[in-house]
Amino acid sequence: MENERELELERLIRRARVEAPVRSGRVHRMVGLTLEAKGIQAPLGAHCVVEAAQNIRVEAEVVGFNDQTTFLMPFTLATGIGPGAVVRVISLAPKARLGDALLGRVIDARGVPLDGRPMPDCDDELNLAGLELNPLERGPIDQILDVGVKSINAGLTMGRGQRMGLIAGSGVGKSVLLGMLTRYTKVDCVVIGLIGERGREVNEFIKESLGVEGLARSVVIAAPANVPPVLRLRAAQLSHLIAEYFRDKGKSVLLIIDSLTRVAHAQREIGLAVGEPPTSKGYPPSVFALLPNLIERAGVGRLGHGAVTAIYTVLMENDDASDPVVDIARASLDGQVMLSRALADAAHYPAIDLNGSISRVMQALLTPERLRLANRLRRMWSVFEQNRDLIQAGAYQVGSNPELDEAIKMRTPIEQFLRQDMHTAVSYEQCVTELMSIVQ
């Protein structure tokens, strides 16, 4: 695959030498993560190649400029690059090749296969920025999406085209839940962006959580933590572009980005490297512009087209729910699923806490009776949780609060209902039937 990439790079360089000799310059110096070049005429996002002695070539992207100085961030380590190295522009905008051949494949942020197979045979080429949709042209979220997970189907019913956040700390079963959603959600195809994760976790997710059956209808874009931030950000954009591509072909797509926090970290590294001022928790202003733009790319397409249902994982560092990325995700998404460390410690999986979780489109999807059942489930869960300490301390006297008495009585059946084996899917209709037998 690297040989194919080298041949493609050679072709682009030859074309750049002939067609645009003016769009070349030389490296002036390197500061931190960025190369500074002079004499180059290139817009933000332009794809460049830095050529040095001994046939050393490093791909880079334009991430900023200051007067006549252009800032480039390399895709790999800039080993061997020194002052005077030639910089050539090979593309004025980042693009990607797309096609049905991507299904069942694992690729990196540049579209290069990571699964040991040949390059996907794709004919279409689109800009990574995608096409902006007029919000008035989008279709409504009016169809229930069966995700195969009881907690979500019953208490946090999702719609086709919804954007949902999966908010969790570390070690609470996030990857297992994502694997369940990937395998059991009733969609035509799945696009998974694994951004900033450890390389070991990427392999484990594909083999264990996703499995052969899940991979067959999926496209996995992997940019682990050891790759430069520009590639991690590019992987997030590529994931959205692929999802949009299949959506515009009329398909129902599930987009999973794991994680939105790592995307924010990548943009933070880029922003600070080019001189942006840090604000809340060191995040520069560009982070708070990037995340809503990415999220708005998901959703229902034009009327009569497909839809992208998106699930973004958001990491609560030190279980801090006031993290700026958590706040902006809550404000931009159509709901969130909170994973609880206390439930995970009690071996309650999936560790979804109905307290703090919400689906903002659920009211428009359910009949009044089904909505009443879902709200009743959430109410009984919440009442018990609010009085847990009082109950466990033995300070509550039965009969003092009829609603709490009912919540205590229903606690065990509700817990059993919300627990689910990772290898078992439960359809939406099954969930409703079981819920009716528990909640009246």
Side-chain angles (χ1 to χ4, degrees), residues 114-133:
L114 298 174
D115 53 12
R117 296 162 59 190
M119 288 283 289
D121 185 14
C122 299
D123 297 326
D124 298 322
E125 189 175 56
L126 295 175
N127 192 307
L128 278 182
L131 296 174
E132 186 174 346
L133 281 180

Side-chain angles (χ1 to χ4, degrees), residues 25-37:
R26 291 188 178 274
V27 172
H28 173 57
R29 66 173 183 167
M30 182 170 185
V31 179
L33 301 174
T34 60
L35 295 169
E36 296 183 7

Side-chain angles (χ1 to χ4, degrees), residues 114-181:
L114 298 174
D115 53 12
R117 296 162 59 190
M119 288 283 289
D121 185 14
C122 299
D123 297 326
D124 298 322
E125 189 175 56
L126 295 175
N127 192 307
L128 278 182
L131 296 174
E132 186 174 346
L133 281 180
N134 183 331
L136 298 182
E137 294 180 352
R138 287 185 181 269
I141 302 175
D142 56 5
Q143 297 180 35
I144 293 173
L145 182 68
D146 186 351
V147 301
V149 177
K150 289 193 287 186
S151 301
I152 298 176
N153 276 347
L156 305 165
T157 308
M158 288 182 60
R160 182 172 169 265
Q162 184 173 355
R163 289 83 53 92
M164 184 73 89
L166 184 59
I167 302 176
S170 58
V172 294
K174 169 177 61 69
S175 296
V176 174
L177 178 57
L178 287 179
M180 294 172 68
L181 293 170

Side-chain angles (χ1 to χ4, degrees), residues 5 10 16 32 40 70 125 166-168 188 192 197 216 241 249 251 315 320 342 351 361 373 398-399 416:
R5 179 64 182 173
E10 181 64 37
I40 183 175
T70 302
E125 189 175 56
L166 184 59
I167 302 176
D188 298 318
I192 306 166
E197 298 296 322
L241 181 65
K249 295 182 74 173
K251 294 186 176 182
L315 303 178
D320 180 12
V361 303
L373 290 174
V398 177
Q416 292 173 348

Side-chain angles (χ1 to χ4, degrees), residues 220-241:
V220 180
I221 302 93
N226 62 315
V227 304
V230 69
L231 281 185
R232 280 178 264 147
L233 188 56
R234 191 184 182 99
Q237 294 170 331
L238 178 58
S239 301
H240 284 79
L241 181 65

Side-chain angles (χ1 to χ4, degrees), residues 88-406:
R88 299 189 188 278
V89 179
I90 59 177
S91 176
L92 292 177
K95 297 181 179 180
R97 290 183 177 176
L98 306 171
D100 291 338
L102 289 172
L103 292 171
R105 303 300 304 274
V106 182
I107 60 176
D108 68 7
R110 300 171 297 167
V112 177
L114 298 174
D115 53 12
R117 296 162 59 190
M119 288 283 289
D121 185 14
C122 299
D123 297 326
D124 298 322
E125 189 175 56
L126 295 175
N127 192 307
L128 278 182
L131 296 174
E132 186 174 346
L133 281 180
N134 183 331
L136 298 182
E137 294 180 352
R138 287 185 181 269
I141 302 175
D142 56 5
Q143 297 180 35
I144 293 173
L145 182 68
D146 186 351
V147 301
V149 177
K150 289 193 287 186
S151 301
I152 298 176
N153 276 347
L156 305 165
T157 308
M158 288 182 60
R160 182 172 169 265
Q162 184 173 355
R163 289 83 53 92
M164 184 73 89
L166 184 59
I167 302 176
S170 58
V172 294
K174 169 177 61 69
S175 296
V176 174
L177 178 57
L178 287 179
M180 294 172 68
L181 293 170
T182 303
R183 293 193 303 273
Y184 304 145
T185 303
K186 292 184 178 179
V187 290
D188 298 318
C189 59
V190 183
V191 179
I192 306 166
L194 301 177
I195 317 296
E197 298 296 322
R198 292 183 287 269
R200 171 184 60 80
E201 291 180 335
V202 172
N203 195 36
E204 286 179 357
F205 180 83
I206 293 170
K207 289 185 176 180
E208 299 175 12
S209 299
L210 189 57
V212 176
E213 182 182 347
L215 181 59
R217 62 169 186 163
S218 303
V219 184
V220 180
I221 302 93
N226 62 315
V227 304
V230 69
L231 281 185
R232 280 178 264 147
L233 188 56
R234 191 184 182 99
Q237 294 170 331
L238 178 58
S239 301
H240 284 79
L241 181 65
I242 294 173
E244 290 171 327
Y245 174 79
F246 286 117
R247 177 199 66 193
D248 291 342
K249 295 182 74 173
K251 294 186 176 182
S252 177
V253 183
L254 175 64
L255 170 65
I256 292 177
I257 299 295
D258 185 19
S259 68
L260 195 66
T261 305
R262 303 301 186 207
V263 175
H265 289 177
Q267 182 61 39
R268 178 171 64 183
E269 292 178 48
I270 294 171
L272 295 178
V274 298
E276 276 194 85
T279 56
S280 178
K281 275 204 171 180
Y283 290 106
S286 60
V287 171
F288 303 105
L290 168 72
L291 298 185
N293 283 336
L294 274 181
I295 291 169
E296 280 301 313
R297 293 179 65 173
V300 181
R302 288 186 174 89
L303 289 170
H305 286 68
V308 176
T309 304
I311 296 176
Y312 299 91
T313 67
V314 184
L315 303 178
M316 286 195 301
E317 297 180 358
N318 299 319
D319 292 341
D320 180 12
S322 63
D323 183 273
V325 178
V326 176
D327 285 341
I328 198 169
R330 281 174 169 161
S332 304
L333 295 168
D334 302 320
Q336 69 264 352
V337 176
M338 299 289 292
L339 295 188
S340 163
R341 188 172 302 280
L343 290 176
D345 290 343
H348 178 116
Y349 293 109
I352 295 175
D353 188 357
L354 297 180
N355 274 349
S357 300
I358 189 172
S359 172
R360 295 195 175 102
V361 303
M362 189 167 67
Q363 289 186 344
L365 297 172
L366 302 182
T367 64
E369 176 60 20
R370 289 191 176 181
L371 182 61
R372 185 190 69 81
L373 290 174
N375 287 339
R376 183 69 171 160
L377 171 70
R378 291 166 54 82
R379 177 64 182 170
M380 290 295 97
W381 179 273
S382 179
V383 167
F384 185 92
E385 289 298 315
Q386 291 170 3
N387 295 275
R388 174 184 286 274
D389 292 342
L390 193 67
I391 296 167
Q392 290 182 339
Y396 174 71
Q397 292 184 355
V398 177
S400 303
N401 185 330
E403 188 178 37
L404 181 54
D405 291 342
E406 190 174 2

